[in-house]
Amino acid sequence: MSLSDEDGRPVQVGQSVGRWLSLEDFVCSDGSTLREDDLRCLGFPRNWPAVYSSSEALKALIGKRGRLPGSRVAVAGQPLPEEKVDGLALRPLQSFGNAERAARASPGLSVVRGWAVFERLDKAEGSVFVAERYWWNSRTSDGRWVDLTPRPEAIGQLLLAESSAGGASCSSQKPQAVLGAQEASLASKLLSWRYPSLVAAERRLAEQAAQVKIQQKDQKEQQQSRQAQGASSASNQRRTHGKEATQQAQQNTGSSRAVASSSAPKSTKVLDYSKWSNIVDSDDEDEVPGAAALDEDVGVQDLAELNRKKPLPVPDFLVGNTGGGGGTNCYLSVTKLLDAEADKGESERSHQLSQVFGKIFHTGLVDAKRQDFYKKCLAALPADTFVVVLGLGSVLPVIRAARRGEKTGALLETSTKLAEVAEHILKANKLGGFPVTVLKGGFDHADLQAVVKRLVPKNAKNVAIVTERMAHDLLSNGIVPSCVAAHKAVRAALPGAKILHVPRTVELFVTPVEIRSEKLKDFDIRPFNAFRHTTSNDKADFWWWPVRLDNQPNTNCKLLGPSKVLCGFDFERSPEIALEEVRRSLKLEVTARGRCNGVALWWTAKSGSEEYSSRPNMAVGGEAKTAANTPPCRSEWKQAIHYLAGETSLFPGDTLELLSSITPRFTVRMLQQSPFSVEAPQWIQAPNNPKFSATLPVLPYHFLMLQDLERIEVYQRAIRAAAKTLRSKLGRRPRVLDAGCGLGLLGMTAALEGCEVWLCEAVPIMRKMCRDVVAANTQAITEARGLVQLLPPMMSTRIQIGEDVQNKFDMVVAEVMDLWCLGEGIVPTMRHAHKKLLAEGGMMLPSKLMIFVQPMELNMWNQAERETETDLQALGKHLKSKFSPMRIDQFPVRWLTEEPIAALEVDLGNVPEQPKDGEPNMEGGVKLCIRMGGKPALHAKISTASIDHSGTFSGYGIWWAADLGHGNVVSNAPDNPQRSWKQIVRWLDQPRFVAAGEEIQVLTCYNDHQVNVEDIFVSREMAEQYQEQVSSQQAQASQAAAAASAAAGQARPGRRPEATQQRQQQTKQQQPPASFEEEPALEVD
């Protein structure tokens, strides 16, 4: 590429004057002297933004005490379309002149002098950085940095550091100078390294120009040769003329074809869909004259192969803060967290843990089979049996054991918090003769023997050890080591006593399974099954995933063979149980045809003739049945599914060989020995993040969404109606953006309507899966004359018109809603889309959000309390959460109003700007500033409703609805059949009785990512006290006004009192009323 100055003029060494980059303009963090070749591998700093605080090398370069101390450091992306200066041509490597020319051309821009900071990508990550002297611009209106210099092709953003006043050691100034040979050599190399496409394009243009000159020279020589030969016969002249015309026409045709091949859309026949590089177009028909539609690109394309931008970090709310595919299922770890948070008081984590344990206790209490098992087993014990209960469990077995009489048993608990809960429950039920002891070290700790010796009577003849410490995989909650340790402790304390166990035996069963997704409405989603495979990672504790096999709609879920016992334990023979790892080969019989991608584990606990199991109904040929008018209640236990590292086609009579690793004090692992038919892709890995460990690559709700037909159907209806309307209005196929596309199903719906679609997904692993799913549906997209283009991994809020895409979109569709509606960023996503990406007259799906709340009466423990005549209110007091996610229709809820309250409406095309501190944000002109998360909420509203049914007001049910247009609404209301989202319950701090006709008030507010709901209640006592204060203040004000009036009358003795009052009244009428806007707003956090 030829060198030019800042005005675009060609340069000459030794003559041209300008600001030229030299090696002195580059500063290395390690202080070394840089050579030209050291600048070849510069790129945007890796692991940004964490590297800014973690890298000592970067701090040493641009930190406050670094070689180039920066007064301000920020990342500058590509300039927005409205920030570009019309008619201003800017040159690569000319940041100095570019910034000055832009400031002269646009009064709203000023020049910023500093450094562009790169990392040496050929060195260890975070070890060496290079600063390049660099100038850019700043908007005078808001201080936003704008870098208009053409960006290097492989670098989508720049880390810029403004020079500090105290950083004169390496000045950011750049004087003009004559171009030298060294500067010219450096510029040529930088151009070739940073702008290879431009260099190649210029080279091609130069070659074409040279060829044109050669052709012109040849033609001129031929013409001179013909003139020298003299005139020929007329016929020869005509033949020669015809030949030349033909040659010229061929040359012109060839030239036009070359231009067409470089500018016109390519048309390729149907190719192998398994190779993305081949899927450019699948139009296999010849061009039909007059058929304009065939000129449009169709098929699918991955734009990341054309534009390799470095992706930005993925926001935490997209990855998950505890799982990224599900955290461990270890009850022991969660109880330790519960104790740690209990010492800190109320916090967000303590509320989350209260939700976890609230669900555990509730599912255990309403599990009729579980409670019946322990009730019968305890009743079958000899009357003189001393019962040792290991862990609070589901509470009711402890209560039943305590009701056998005083000093007939004891509870051992590893959690201080749960022990406190147990003591309060026992006290509330007047069962004080049942001691509770905490073993912080665990049941297999050395202290257990001393505790048992102290608690168990020396004359006890029978001692029963009772526990509910099962897990989905039976073992991971420590049931085996706990029972073995307790058995040994009792034997040591009472050598002659008979030791019983409830349960006495436990067995773990295994069977091959197929759990696969095939289609979701019109789409082939089979590639998604790869997400069910993982080898986990080194940090994760478990290699299985809890799945309720009886509840997998729209999924191929079946058992491929009979179950087989993997391992079993008889606790009355505890001294014989070894706790070390045991490996064994296992052969599973196959009796059904299918594609095996996992093995299912479930367990059975027995005591005498009683049995309790986590076995799915499909294992015994049954189906889940629910009695009429009874809310469905499911067991706490699911089946543990160990997904294998691939799929295997199996037929009846086949055998599946596995290598199992059984560690009784830990868990079970499986490794398939039989050959796989299809292995999982190498990129399918569970996340390995410092914040969490995980067992599957993605968050679990993705699997629920693939079972949700209602959700995809309502979106399809809305997209089809919008596409039809836009096509009729525009006279062409609409341009559609699917923001946060996930698998791309919504975008592909538009493509099946013939739209031109861009898919945008920020999470890299989800984008890869989207790529595969789109590839699997290429033929359907092509036949519908649609086009799907997958953008590089990025947030949709980073899309820039004119750079990432050429034109604005006619439709923007998104489904980034969570339980709260706003938690995944639907507000900032659609706000940016409306302002920056949506064409005039375009459509947004959704365009409006509604938040509904409804007062409810719901006692989580009421059913168990009634059936067992037990006071369980201590559970609610100790495990108090502010919010609980739940499927409300599965609980015995009683609504206190006939209709929900429309608490908030969010117009996504007109989202309020962020209010300033103290600025009123309450609907209705109320002078209040409601705050959320340390700053004002975007909007707040107080709603009033009248109670229709008297009852105990427990809290508000919360759900949302999203308007997709044309009468289509997607919602997570309790009566909606969708499966993707639960509802939220906002519990009152103190439940209260409300009577029919009584009015309630609720405050609802929101910001970019949160909704908050608060009950507004003023008790009678508070109201009376407030009224007394107001009356007193009014009386004092009246007295002060009277005194002031009397003083004024005395000062003007000639004026009559009547005239004074009349004058005051006239003045009052003439003055305008005080404006609320002139008063400061009350801030409420």
Side-chain angles (χ1 to χ4, degrees):
M1 183 176 183
S2 60
L3 301 182
S4 60
D5 61 14
E6 61 187 47
D7 295 319
R9 296 180 298 237
V11 299
Q12 292 183 359
V13 175
Q15 295 184 13
S16 299
V17 177
R19 296 184 179 93
W20 319 106
L21 283 173
S22 66
L23 289 177
E24 287 73 21
D25 295 315
F26 294 86
V27 180
C28 189
S29 60
D30 59 8
S32 62
T33 301
L34 293 169
R35 300 170 302 173
E36 290 183 354
D37 289 343
D38 294 332
L39 307 179
R40 179 190 294 269
C41 298
L42 299 184
F44 187 78
R46 293 168 287 192
N47 195 26
W48 179 265
V51 68
Y52 186 62
S53 57
S54 63
S55 173
E56 294 298 329
L58 188 55
K59 293 179 183 177
L61 184 62
I62 59 173
K64 293 182 178 180
R65 300 180 181 178
R67 302 187 64 193
L68 308 172
S71 61
R72 179 185 173 191
V73 178
V75 173
Q78 296 286 359
L80 302 176
E82 61 269 22
E83 293 173 337
K84 297 180 179 180
V85 182
D86 294 337
L88 186 63
L90 303 175
R91 312 297 174 186
L93 305 184
Q94 293 287 345
S95 71
F96 315 111
N98 292 339
E100 288 188 335
R101 293 172 63 220
R104 289 195 298 266
S106 176
L109 296 178
S110 61
V111 177
V112 183
R113 296 173 176 84
W115 306 84
V117 183
F118 304 93
E119 181 176 3
R120 286 195 60 175
L121 304 182
D122 56 337
K123 300 293 184 181
E125 182 173 325
S127 62
V128 181
F129 296 86
V130 174
E132 173 187 331
R133 201 184 313 274
Y134 200 85
W135 294 0
W136 61 97
N137 297 102
S138 174
R139 296 198 310 200
T140 56
S141 59
D142 56 6
R144 171 184 164 86
W145 283 356
V146 179
D147 176 30
L148 298 173
T149 297
R151 196 65 50 82
E153 295 174 8
I155 302 177
Q157 54 190 354
L158 287 182
L159 176 61
L160 302 177
E162 182 178 3
S163 290
S164 172
S169 58
C170 286
S171 173
S172 61
Q173 298 297 324
K174 182 66 177 178
Q176 289 193 346
V178 177
L179 178 64
Q182 292 183 347
E183 289 81 0
S185 172
L186 175 62
S188 298
K189 291 184 177 180
L190 290 175
L191 286 171
S192 64
W193 295 335
R194 296 182 177 183
Y195 307 94
S197 298
L198 291 177
V199 173
E202 185 175 291
R203 185 182 299 113
R204 286 195 299 270
L205 290 175
E207 292 174 352
Q208 292 175 1
Q211 291 177 357
V212 170
K213 289 183 179 180
I214 293 174
Q215 291 176 358
Q216 291 175 346
K217 182 179 180 181
D218 291 343
Q219 291 175 357
K220 186 176 181 179
E221 291 178 351
Q222 291 175 4
Q223 184 177 3
Q224 292 175 350
S225 176
R226 287 195 299 271
Q227 291 176 353
Q229 290 176 358
S232 301
S233 65
S235 61
N236 288 339
Q237 289 178 359
R238 287 195 295 271
R239 278 199 303 270
T240 302
H241 177 72
K243 183 177 180 180
E244 292 175 356
T246 303
Q247 290 177 348
Q248 185 65 34
Q250 291 175 348
Q251 291 175 358
N252 293 337
T253 303
S255 177
S256 63
R257 286 176 179 173
V259 174
S261 65
S262 62
S263 60
K266 294 183 179 180
S267 180
T268 312
K269 294 185 178 181
V270 179
L271 299 175
D272 181 4
Y273 297 137
S274 65
K275 304 296 184 183
W276 259 84
S277 58
N278 293 336
I279 305 178
V280 178
D281 193 307
S282 51
D283 179 14
D284 56 355
E285 300 179 3
D286 294 333
E287 183 176 358
V288 180
L294 295 184
D295 292 336
E296 300 175 332
D297 285 349
V298 296
V300 298
Q301 188 174 23
D302 187 349
L303 299 181
E305 296 178 351
L306 306 177
N307 183 5
R308 299 187 178 276
K309 279 189 173 182
K310 182 178 178 65
L312 293 174
V314 179
D316 283 345
F317 66 81
L318 294 181
V319 181
N321 56 5
T322 58
T328 61
N329 185 43
C330 184
Y331 179 84
L332 304 178
S333 299
V334 182
T335 54
K336 291 179 181 178
L337 286 175
L338 181 67
D339 287 347
E341 292 299 319
D343 297 336
K344 302 177 183 178
E346 287 195 10
S347 65
E348 181 179 355
R349 177 175 281 188
S350 67
H351 282 295
Q352 293 175 345
L353 290 168
S354 295
Q355 293 173 14
V356 171
F357 281 93
K359 180 179 180 181
I360 290 174
F361 285 124
H362 181 266
T363 53
L365 286 167
V366 299
D367 187 346
K369 292 182 179 179
R370 176 175 178 173
Q371 298 304 332
D372 188 60
F373 171 78
Y374 281 97
K375 178 181 178 180
K376 292 179 179 179
C377 290
L378 288 170
L381 295 175
D384 61 348
T385 302
F386 187 88
V387 179
V388 178
V389 183
L390 304 181
L392 182 56
S394 61
V395 182
L396 291 182
V398 175
I399 297 295
R400 291 192 174 97
R403 285 175 175 170
R404 299 176 76 253
E406 289 191 8
K407 299 182 180 181
T408 59
L411 170 64
L412 306 182
E413 178 57 66
T414 59
S415 166
T416 303
K417 180 65 175 180
L418 295 184
E420 182 182 355
V421 173
E423 288 177 341
H424 286 195
I425 292 176
L426 291 169
K427 183 178 180 180
N429 290 278
K430 301 179 181 179
L431 298 171
F434 201 81
V436 179
T437 302
V438 179
L439 286 167
K440 294 288 291 183
F443 294 130
D444 55 351
H445 195 268
D447 294 340
L448 177 62
Q449 185 171 332
V451 171
V452 169
K453 188 174 183 179
R454 174 171 55 85
L455 293 175
V456 180
K458 296 181 180 179
N459 60 348
K461 296 182 179 179
N462 298 293
V463 178
I465 299 172
V466 180
T467 188
E468 298 177 78
R469 298 185 77 85
M470 290 81 81
H472 301 298
D473 68 332
L474 178 63
L475 303 178
S476 60
N477 283 348
I479 184 174
V480 176
S482 298
C483 289
V484 170
H487 186 102
K488 292 180 179 179
V490 172
R491 176 61 65 216
L494 299 171
K498 182 178 181 181
I499 305 176
L500 308 172
H501 284 266
V502 178
R504 174 178 175 174
T505 63
V506 290
E507 291 181 312
L508 186 61
F509 296 86
V510 60
T511 188
V513 294
E514 175 184 0
I515 307 177
R516 300 179 70 254
S517 301
E518 296 284 342
K519 289 186 72 69
L520 185 60
K521 297 299 292 181
D522 303 323
F523 304 112
D524 183 348
I525 57 174
R526 286 176 294 179
F528 183 80
N529 292 303
F531 273 160
R532 303 182 190 273
H533 307 287
T534 179
T535 55
S536 193
N537 57 52
D538 295 337
K539 290 181 57 181
D541 294 335
F542 299 101
W543 278 257
W544 50 264
W545 187 254
V547 176
R548 205 177 298 278
L549 291 176
D550 290 327
N551 188 34
Q552 299 296 314
N554 197 42
T555 304
N556 285 352
C557 182
K558 60 182 178 181
L559 308 181
L560 301 180
S563 61
K564 187 173 184 177
V565 176
L566 179 62
C567 60
F569 304 91
D570 184 345
F571 294 128
E572 293 191 6
R573 300 174 60 183
S574 290
E576 303 173 23
I577 297 177
L579 301 179
E580 290 74 24
E581 180 188 14
V582 175
R583 296 193 176 191
R584 55 173 295 201
S585 296
L586 191 67
K587 294 185 178 181
L588 299 180
E589 179 185 356
V590 177
T591 57
R593 180 179 177 178
R595 296 183 66 84
C596 177
N597 61 346
V599 290
L601 304 173
W602 63 79
W603 48 262
T604 296
K606 295 181 179 180
S607 187
S609 60
E610 302 301 326
E611 177 180 302
Y612 175 59
S613 178
S614 65
R615 179 191 305 111
N617 287 331
M618 65 168 55
V620 290
E623 295 182 358
K625 296 181 180 179
T626 303
N629 302 323
T630 301
C633 296
R634 295 170 179 156
S635 168
E636 175 186 353
W637 316 120
K638 302 178 183 179
Q639 292 73 50
I641 305 301
H642 194 303
Y643 288 114
L644 302 171
E647 294 181 358
T648 306
S649 298
L650 296 178
F651 296 86
D654 287 347
T655 299
L656 183 69
E657 295 187 15
L658 301 171
L659 176 62
S660 62
S661 169
I662 306 167
T663 307
R665 65 168 67 251
F666 181 45
T667 188
V668 175
R669 303 175 188 174
M670 295 285 185
L671 178 66
Q672 181 169 326
Q673 300 288 82
S674 304
F676 290 106
S677 301
V678 178
E679 293 189 7
Q682 292 294 321
W683 55 270
I684 298 292
Q685 292 291 329
N688 194 345
N689 190 294
K691 297 180 181 179
F692 54 76
S693 57
T695 53
L696 281 183
V698 294
L699 292 165
Y701 66 79
H702 289 100
F703 296 93
L704 284 177
M705 295 176 78
L706 292 189
Q707 302 170 0
D708 193 348
L709 294 177
E710 169 68 20
R711 163 187 145 270
I712 189 65
E713 285 175 352
V714 67
Y715 260 101
Q716 283 187 330
R717 291 195 299 269
I719 292 172
R720 288 166 180 163
K724 183 178 179 181
T725 300
L726 287 171
R727 182 180 285 274
S728 175
K729 174 183 175 182
L730 300 171
R732 57 170 173 80
R733 63 180 182 182
R735 294 185 292 270
V736 180
L737 172 67
D738 185 353
C741 65
L743 297 185
L745 303 184
L746 304 185
M748 286 193 292
T749 297
L752 293 184
E753 297 302 309
C755 295
E756 185 177 1
V757 178
W758 283 261
L759 302 180
C760 183
E761 175 57 49
V763 181
I765 194 169
M766 183 59 71
R767 184 189 179 278
K768 289 183 179 180
M769 182 55 70
C770 173
R771 193 175 189 268
D772 287 354
V773 171
V774 170
N777 292 274
T778 300
Q779 185 172 357
I781 294 170
T782 304
E783 291 173 352
R785 308 301 300 171
L787 175 63
V788 173
Q789 301 171 91
L790 183 58
L791 289 165
M794 64 168 66
M795 299 285 289
S796 67
T797 52
R798 303 293 297 183
I799 295 176
Q800 297 187 22
I801 302 299
E803 179 181 340
D804 300 299
V805 294
Q806 292 303 312
N807 300 296
K808 290 188 174 183
F809 301 101
D810 306 305
M811 184 198 313
V812 177
V813 59
E815 192 217 38
V816 286
M817 289 89 77
D818 66 347
L819 306 184
W820 281 104
C821 188
L822 309 186
E824 292 186 7
I826 183 68
V827 168
T829 296
M830 301 308 268
R831 176 172 54 202
H832 175 267
H834 184 265
K835 289 183 177 180
K836 305 293 185 181
L837 307 180
L838 192 66
E840 185 176 355
M843 296 183 177
M844 294 198 307
L845 280 65
S847 61
K848 185 185 297 182
L849 305 173
M850 293 290 296
I851 307 296
F852 295 94
V853 302
Q854 190 166 5
M856 60 193 299
E857 180 181 77
L858 174 59
N859 188 328
M860 296 282 289
W861 328 110
N862 195 33
Q863 178 182 344
E865 287 182 322
R866 282 199 319 268
E867 294 176 353
T868 62
E869 298 182 354
T870 304
D871 185 346
L872 299 173
Q873 293 308 303
L875 288 173
K877 293 177 181 178
H878 284 274
L879 302 174
K880 190 175 184 179
S881 61
K882 190 173 182 179
F883 301 98
S884 293
M886 59 175 63
R887 298 194 186 278
I888 296 178
D889 63 332
Q890 296 181 2
F891 293 83
V893 64
R894 182 169 172 265
W895 299 111
L896 301 181
T897 59
E898 291 291 341
E899 299 294 333
I901 304 168
L904 273 180
E905 179 177 319
V906 183
D907 183 354
L908 294 174
N910 188 27
V911 178
E913 295 294 333
Q914 177 62 52
K916 299 178 182 179
D917 284 340
E919 182 180 348
N921 55 4
M922 178 71 73
E923 185 172 312
V926 180
K927 295 294 292 183
L928 286 177
C929 179
I930 306 300
R931 298 173 65 86
M932 295 179 64
K935 63 181 181 179
L938 293 178
H939 185 68
K941 177 184 175 182
I942 294 179
S943 304
T944 302
S946 180
I947 295 295
D948 296 318
H949 308 288
S950 301
T952 300
F953 185 11
S954 306
Y956 291 95
I958 306 172
W959 58 89
W960 51 264
D963 185 1
L964 304 180
H966 297 86
N968 297 290
V969 176
V970 62
S971 174
N972 70 330
D975 57 354
N976 192 290
Q978 61 81 29
R979 292 175 50 84
S980 298
W981 304 284
K982 299 179 181 179
Q983 298 82 44
I984 297 289
V985 172
R986 169 55 164 108
W987 301 105
L988 296 190
D989 296 334
Q990 184 62 49
R992 66 179 188 272
F993 177 81
V994 291
E998 181 179 340
E999 285 194 345
I1000 61 172
Q1001 288 187 318
V1002 57
L1003 168 65
T1004 315
C1005 54
Y1006 74 94
N1007 59 20
D1008 276 357
H1009 295 283
Q1010 290 179 305
V1011 173
N1012 194 28
V1013 176
E1014 297 289 345
D1015 179 58
I1016 301 177
F1017 173 65
V1018 180
S1019 65
R1020 183 183 299 275
E1021 293 78 9
M1022 293 176 62
E1024 292 175 351
Q1025 183 180 3
Y1026 176 72
Q1027 188 62 43
E1028 290 177 0
Q1029 292 177 353
V1030 172
S1031 299
S1032 176
Q1033 292 173 357
Q1034 290 176 346
Q1036 293 176 4
S1038 298
Q1039 293 174 1
S1045 177
Q1050 292 175 0
R1052 298 180 181 181
R1055 188 179 296 275
R1056 293 180 299 168
E1058 294 82 5
T1060 301
Q1061 293 178 3
Q1062 184 178 5
R1063 179 68 175 174
Q1064 291 175 348
Q1065 182 67 26
Q1066 291 175 354
T1067 303
K1068 183 176 180 181
Q1069 292 175 353
Q1070 292 172 0
Q1071 291 177 346
S1075 171
F1076 279 114
E1077 282 69 19
E1078 296 173 358
E1079 304 171 3
L1082 174 63
E1083 294 196 12
V1084 180
D1085 199 344

